[in-house]
Amino acid sequence: MISGKLKSKLAGGSAIRKMFEEGNRLKAIYGAENVYDFSIGNPDLEPPKEVFDALKELALNPVPGMHGYMSNSGYESTRAIIAEKRSKESESGVKVDAGAICMTVGAAAAMNDVFHSILDDGDEVILLAPFFMEYIGYVENHNGKPVIVDTDSKFMPDISKIEAAVTAKTKAIVINSPNNPSGVVYSKELLCSLNEMLLKQDHVIHVIADEPYIDLAYDGVKVPSVLDCFKNLIVCFSWSKSLSLPGERIGYTLVSPNHEDYEDLTAAIVLSNRTLGSVNAPAIWQRVIEKSLYAKVDVSNYEYRRNLLYSNIVDAGFDAVKPSGALYIFMNTPNGLTDQEFADICAKQNLLVVGGKSFSRPGYCRLAFCVSEVSIKNSRKAFFKVAEELGLKHRAEL
């Protein structure tokens, strides 16, 4: 028999994965061009040329021992070049040492390493809704307690609400900007104000910045450096989105040199990386990152697709906050419909969305625009048909 805890989680499942499987089923019936699957944030852009060049170079000129073990924190050379990049004035101006960094199996492993390192049983972690659903699992994996605090109508954190949620058991808060699922980018002023509030508390509260989307911002928006805003900061980063490498699982943790528990934290995270079973991040991908660190996918392509999908949504008569970053649009479900009711109506037009309840924000649904341009363009008629069924007034012509 499996554990009772896991049995209850299996019963819930993942709404994203369920919609992804439903998309595959419908594509087999109607053809991929007639199914508009916005359910999963699986980047369809190929990695930049620098990534393929690095792989080719490593394959043709292998470094001796390239596939062997290294320090659990990762290659010194990889960590050093990342530290150099994060220290630049153009990024933060905060001097980061290679010892602050631990290479991980993506940002998910990074977050689990961090929670394993900081949480005692019953410790609380503040999560700002809407948020990536797996955060709850990551916290509970290490016997922590998620404490959910709503953001405002524009999905911005309300510092007074956060402060009201702080207790003697509060150990950390997770911030994710650009945000999944809303796409909003938190301002530097807001982040610095949050830091000031946290520092006034009577114990250390770690700020965990989940940063897979920091390279994906639009309309000239600059994502503020969290290193420049927070004292007791731990960064969890992944190249899944900026280099289109979600399946390769490569990322890192970074502890701010200003953190009050810097020495203990950096050591604890490396120990957790080993004892949780990752042992070390993939060797060859650490080498690839060294050679392609400053590359990134074509962000203008994603911005163009965001504009296409946003136009489809609002022109048909729906409401949504236009995202400044990440890969998603978080739109209101109209007419008081529940997430599931709206998703079911959309599915009749082969339009697949994920309900906001999965992100702890009912009354919305998430659509990923990292899908083909053709699919986004072809989906326009589906949005209009759904709007017509719901009696919404179109704001533009089909």
Side-chain angles (χ1 to χ4, degrees), residues 28-42:
I29 298 172
Y30 300 107
E33 70 279 6
N34 298 311
V35 177
Y36 319 113
D37 185 358
F38 300 109
S39 64
I40 192 166
N42 190 21

Side-chain angles (χ1 to χ4, degrees), residues 316 318 381-392 394 398:
F318 300 102
K381 60 182 180 296
F383 282 103
F384 274 67
K385 287 181 179 178
V386 171
E388 287 166 6
E389 180 173 343
L390 296 174
L392 300 183
H394 302 325
L398 178 60

Side-chain angles (χ1 to χ4, degrees), residues 69-321:
Y69 285 126
M70 80 293 295
S71 298
N72 295 123
S73 56
Y75 288 123
E76 173 76 18
S77 55
T78 307
R79 293 184 293 119
I81 192 172
I82 294 169
E84 179 185 23
K85 182 177 186 294
R86 296 298 300 239
S87 301
K88 287 181 179 295
E89 287 291 338
S90 58
E91 289 219 6
S92 71
V94 176
K95 177 61 178 173
V96 177
D97 184 81
I101 292 166
C102 177
M103 303 302 296
T104 63
V105 184
M111 294 191 77
N112 276 276
D113 289 347
V114 171
F115 287 132
H116 191 67
S117 299
I118 67 173
L119 294 181
D120 288 311
D121 289 1
D123 279 348
E124 296 172 355
V125 178
I126 294 175
L127 305 176
L128 303 176
F131 56 84
F132 180 49
M133 67 213 32
E134 302 293 359
Y135 289 169
I136 290 178
Y138 300 162
V139 172
E140 292 178 343
N141 283 348
H142 309 285
N143 299 318
K145 178 185 175 183
V147 175
I148 298 172
V149 176
D150 270 337
T151 54
D152 67 19
S153 61
K154 299 296 185 183
F155 311 118
M156 291 296 176
D158 183 324
I159 293 175
S160 63
K161 284 186 178 180
I162 297 170
E163 185 167 23
V166 172
T167 72
K169 296 290 286 181
T170 303
K171 185 60 73 75
I173 179 172
V174 177
I175 60 170
N176 172 222
S177 172
N179 178 257
N180 174 12
S182 70
V184 300
V185 174
Y186 302 160
S187 70
K188 183 173 182 178
E189 292 74 19
L190 188 152
L191 296 176
C192 290
S193 295
L194 176 59
N195 178 61
E196 290 175 10
M197 182 275 286
L198 294 172
L199 291 178
K200 290 177 183 176
Q201 307 307 309
D202 61 5
H203 63 286
V204 170
I205 298 176
H206 306 278
V207 177
I208 301 170
D210 180 30
E211 293 197 326
Y213 302 103
I214 59 170
D215 292 318
L216 303 182
Y218 314 118
D219 305 318
V221 169
K222 180 174 173 56
V223 179
S225 168
V226 287
L227 278 164
D228 200 28
C229 297
F230 293 104
K231 179 180 181 182
N232 295 314
L233 172 75
I234 311 168
V235 171
C236 297
F237 181 82
S238 165
W239 283 278
S240 291
K241 306 306 192 285
S242 62
L243 291 181
S244 281
L245 297 173
E248 304 302 346
R249 313 311 304 143
I250 183 70
Y252 63 81
T253 62
L254 186 162
V255 179
S256 170
N258 298 318
H259 200 296
E260 291 183 34
D261 295 329
Y262 177 83
E263 296 294 339
D264 284 346
L265 259 178
T266 51
I269 289 170
V270 174
L271 177 62
S272 296
N273 199 39
R274 181 174 84 240
T275 58
L276 288 177
S278 294
V279 181
N280 55 253
I284 196 166
W285 284 103
Q286 292 188 57
R287 301 289 192 193
V288 170
I289 291 302
E290 283 188 42
K291 297 174 181 294
S292 55
L293 183 63
Y294 288 88
K296 60 182 175 181
V297 295
D298 182 1
V299 178
S300 64
N301 186 300
Y302 281 143
E303 183 171 343
Y304 175 69
R305 298 188 203 189
R306 177 209 59 171
N307 292 341
L308 282 178
L309 182 57
Y310 183 76
S311 293
N312 288 351
I313 291 167
V314 298
D315 288 352
F318 300 102
D319 293 317
V321 173

